[in-house]
């Protein structure tokens, strides 16, 4: 009798202990490089692409998306950015041009996702040099997914590629030019192509022996319109290789600025910079 | 959590053994034999706190056991971090208060301290010439951070052979590290809640 009353009293603690246990598990970090995160923070690229494809864009429709770079450790700014982007009419997705994290840690990727998942549209990322520091490569792959990937949305094929050559100590394998050429060779039903990366090809952190092959891959492939990048935290636009491809570098979260890209027809596009 | 239960299981036989000792034989009639200066005061085993999935170590106690310094060696398997990590850490802790809650049980409600850790086995921590000077302002391998914790101690009977007092403690520590702190202080408009930068360590410590 007494025992069962005691037991019942202790059983009342079960939910409390379970809650503490769950919070505790989350906090029991083995190392900052420990990339265990709840399932909802894994395979985000795949999940966000599925969300994007669930709202297809009809052939011939104008495409509009937001393009920014380097979220890094700017969480206050990320909140302001989300508020601003959520007021943009007619956009399909937001693209972060790398350096999602500052220290290549899974916790940071999770903190960024906790902000960006409040966007009304899905977001996509490409890996940046800060995401490859330490064991960041494994953390990025676990939380987001592949370092190189491509997809078709509406009339546009997007090719996203790791261009952070310095993080591989310039081993001449990054960016993977063969992969890029293969991806760009076919339009897969799209009318135009856009390449997204973190480090722009003329930067000191890009393998200089691969700059021209990279530019040629874009310049000779069918209908590549834009080459987008981040890294430098400053806006820049130009046709740097005289081959019809326009290269645009975005501001970063820290600069309180992003770019709205509108694309239509075969090669038409418009760029609008927005302050937030 | 699984690891915590493992620690509890490891701890239990020791506690049971002490409990089985008749209390009247435990009183140290002879004063404890002098210790060698290098002999550690305690051994410890912990999980989390950024110092390993499992970390084992030894330490010294000073200032009437209020100040402790521990050295730990930790391990993180590849599946959790992308590469197998081994960590060497140093902790310094100060516990000013000691509450006697039962004849053989003490609670140390507050432990404040700091740690530094070095991680071996990081996949990309840079090789000579890879980065220009000050390319990244932070160290990839070395972490430092504050600790705040508490402890419950069971006063076991002294060793019959030597008369050395023994204690078995279970502790928790909340901590963080320099990178998380930098992230927090860069976002004082509420962009990063303080709770998000905390880590938890659970451990047991045996003084002998």
């Amino acid at each position: 009798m007494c025992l069962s009353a005691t037991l019942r009293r202790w059983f009342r603690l079960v939910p409390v202990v379970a809650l503490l246990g769950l919070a505790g598990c989350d906090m029991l970090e083995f190392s900052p490089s420990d990339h265990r995160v709840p399932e909802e923070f894994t395979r985000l690229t795949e999940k966000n692409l599925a969300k994007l494809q669930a709202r297809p864009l009809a052939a011939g429709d104008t495409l509009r998306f937001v393009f920014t770079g380097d979220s890094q450790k700017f969480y206050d700014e990320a909140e302001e950015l989300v508020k601003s982007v959520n007021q943009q009419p007619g956009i399909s997705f937001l693209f972060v041009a790398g350096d999602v994290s500052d220290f290549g840690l899974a916790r940071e990727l999770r903190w960024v996702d906790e902000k960006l998942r409040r966007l009304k549209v899905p977001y996509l990322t490409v890996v940046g040099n800060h995401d490859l520091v330490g064991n960041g490569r494994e953390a990025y792959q676990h939380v987001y997914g592949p370092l190189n990937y491509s997809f078709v949305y509406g009339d546009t094929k997007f090719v996203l590629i790791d261009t952070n050559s310095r993080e591989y100590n310039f081993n001449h394998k990054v960016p993977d030019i063969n992969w890029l050429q293969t991806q760009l060779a076919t339009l897969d039903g799209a009318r135009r192509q856009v390449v997204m990366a973190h480090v722009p090809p003329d930067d000191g952190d890009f393998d200089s022996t691969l700059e021209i092959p990279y530019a040629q891959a874009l310049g000779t492939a069918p209908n590549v319109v834009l080459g987008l990048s981040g890294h430098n935290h400053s806006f820049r636009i130009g046709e740097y290789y005289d081959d019809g491809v326009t290269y645009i570098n975005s501001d970063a979260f820290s600069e309180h600025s992003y770019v709205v890209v509108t694309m239509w027809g075969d090669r038409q596009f418009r760029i609008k910079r927005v302050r937030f | 959590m699984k690891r915590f239960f493992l620690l509890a299981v490891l701890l239990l036989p020791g506690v049971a053994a002490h409990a089985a000792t008749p209390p009247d034989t435990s009183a140290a009639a002879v004063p404890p034999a002098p210790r060698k200066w290098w002999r550690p005061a305690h051994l410890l085993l912990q999980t989390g706190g950024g110092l390993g999935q499992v970390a084992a170590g030894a330490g010294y106690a000073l200032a009437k056991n209020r100040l402790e310094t521990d050295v730990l060696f930790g391990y993180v398997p590849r599946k959790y971090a992308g590469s197998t990590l081994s960590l060497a850490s140093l902790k310094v802790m100060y516990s000013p208060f000691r509450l006697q809650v039962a004849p053989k049980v003490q609670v140390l409600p507050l432990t404040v301290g700091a740690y530094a850790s070095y991680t071996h086995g990081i996949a990309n921590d840079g090789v000579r010439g890879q980065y220009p000077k000050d390319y990244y302002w932070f160290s990839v391998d070395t972490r430092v951070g504050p600790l705040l914790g508490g402890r419950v101690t069971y006063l076991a009977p002294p060793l019959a052979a030597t008369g050395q007092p023994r204690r078995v403690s279970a502790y928790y520590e909340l901590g963080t590290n320099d990178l998380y702190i930098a992230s927090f202080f860069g976002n004082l408009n509420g962009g990063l809640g303080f709770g998000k930068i905390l880590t938890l360590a659970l451990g047991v410590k045996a003084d002998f």
Side-chain angles (χ1 to χ4, degrees), chain A residues 9-49:
Chain A
R9 211 174 325 135
W10 280 101
F11 267 114
R12 258 181 262 154
L13 285 175
V14 167
V16 179
V17 173
L19 199 68
L20 281 174
L22 274 176
C25 276
D26 222 21
M27 288 167 68
L28 269 179
E29 184 173 272
F30 300 156
S31 150
S33 300
D34 174 358
H35 61 223
R36 292 170 307 140
V37 286
E39 199 279 334
E40 60 172 312
F41 297 104
T42 60
R43 297 183 291 111
L44 293 178
T45 298
E46 180 191 328
K47 290 171 187 170
N48 288 339
L49 278 174

Side-chain angles (χ1 to χ4, degrees), chain B residues 4 10 17 22 77 90 114 119 128 162 178 181 187 197 203:
Chain B
F4 177 61
L10 286 172
L90 177 73
T119 306
R128 186 179 289 273
T162 60
D178 48 336
I181 290 171
N187 296 279
I197 69 166

Side-chain angles (χ1 to χ4, degrees), chain A residues 20-36 73-77 79-80 102-105 107-108 111 114-115 129-130 132-135 138-139 166-170 205 231, chain B residues 1 47-53 76 79-83 85 122-124 127 130-132 135-138 140 143 174 177 179-180 182-183 186-192 196-202:
Chain A
L20 281 174
L22 274 176
C25 276
D26 222 21
M27 288 167 68
L28 269 179
E29 184 173 272
F30 300 156
S31 150
S33 300
D34 174 358
H35 61 223
R36 292 170 307 140
K73 61 176 188 303
F74 300 104
Y75 306 101
D76 284 344
E77 289 79 357
E79 282 186 359
E80 296 165 36
D102 215 328
F103 314 115
L105 305 176
R107 256 202 213 210
E108 300 182 272
W111 294 337
E114 283 170 348
K115 301 298 176 203
N129 59 301
H130 280 257
L132 294 167
V133 169
N135 284 23
E138 286 73 15
R166 187 181 294 281
E167 297 308 318
Y168 302 85
N169 201 17
F170 302 108
D205 296 327
H231 193 50
Chain B
M1 221 49 215
T47 179
L51 304 184
Q53 184 191 25
V76 183
K79 66 175 169 175
Y80 299 134
S83 65
L85 305 178
I122 292 275
N124 175 24
V127 295
Q130 183 175 345
Y131 302 109
Y135 190 78
Y136 295 118
W137 63 267
F138 55 93
V140 174
R143 292 275 69 76
L174 294 173
N177 65 52
L179 302 183
Y180 294 168
S183 302
N187 296 279
L188 293 176
N189 292 332
L192 188 63
K196 289 191 189 296
I197 69 166
L198 294 180
T199 63
L200 175 69
L202 296 172

Side-chain angles (χ1 to χ4, degrees), chain A residues 89-101:
Chain A
I91 56 166
S92 294
F93 64 92
L94 174 135
F95 167 59
V96 182
D99 281 1
V100 184
S101 69

Side-chain angles (χ1 to χ4, degrees), chain A residues 68-239:
Chain A
T68 182
D70 307 71
S71 43
Q72 292 183 302
K73 61 176 188 303
F74 300 104
Y75 306 101
D76 284 344
E77 289 79 357
E79 282 186 359
E80 296 165 36
L81 175 129
V82 167
K83 263 185 220 153
S84 173
V85 171
N86 277 346
Q87 288 164 7
Q88 290 293 343
I91 56 166
S92 294
F93 64 92
L94 174 135
F95 167 59
V96 182
D99 281 1
V100 184
S101 69
D102 215 328
F103 314 115
L105 305 176
R107 256 202 213 210
E108 300 182 272
L109 298 177
R110 179 177 171 174
W111 294 337
V112 170
D113 181 65
E114 283 170 348
K115 301 298 176 203
L116 298 187
R117 62 170 52 196
R118 295 185 202 150
L119 287 165
K120 289 179 187 162
V121 292
Y123 75 98
L124 294 161
T125 62
V126 70
V127 72
N129 59 301
H130 280 257
D131 304 314
L132 294 167
V133 169
N135 284 23
R137 176 186 160 104
E138 286 73 15
Y140 182 91
Q141 286 173 319
H142 185 65
V143 175
Y144 283 101
L147 307 181
N148 296 335
Y149 65 101
S150 70
F151 66 94
V152 174
Y153 184 67
D155 288 333
T156 313
K157 180 171 179 180
F158 292 91
V159 177
L160 297 93
I161 182 165
D162 177 1
T163 57
N164 307 290
S165 315
R166 187 181 294 281
E167 297 308 318
Y168 302 85
N169 201 17
F170 302 108
N171 66 1
H172 307 315
K173 291 177 183 159
V174 176
D176 185 341
I177 301 294
N178 283 336
W179 181 86
L180 181 64
Q181 286 169 335
T182 309
Q183 290 300 315
L184 292 175
T186 54
L187 282 158
D188 295 333
R191 287 171 84 169
R192 60 182 99 90
Q193 306 199 78
V194 172
V195 176
M196 296 169 154
H198 177 62
V199 178
D202 57 347
D203 192 277
D205 296 327
F206 193 106
D207 193 328
S208 60
T209 64
L210 298 178
E211 178 188 352
I212 298 306
Y214 182 88
Q216 280 173 348
L218 270 64
T220 57
N223 219 16
V224 176
V225 181
L226 301 175
L228 308 181
S229 59
H231 193 50
N232 291 319
H233 297 211
S234 62
F235 181 81
R236 182 183 79 156
I237 182 164
E239 202 186 298

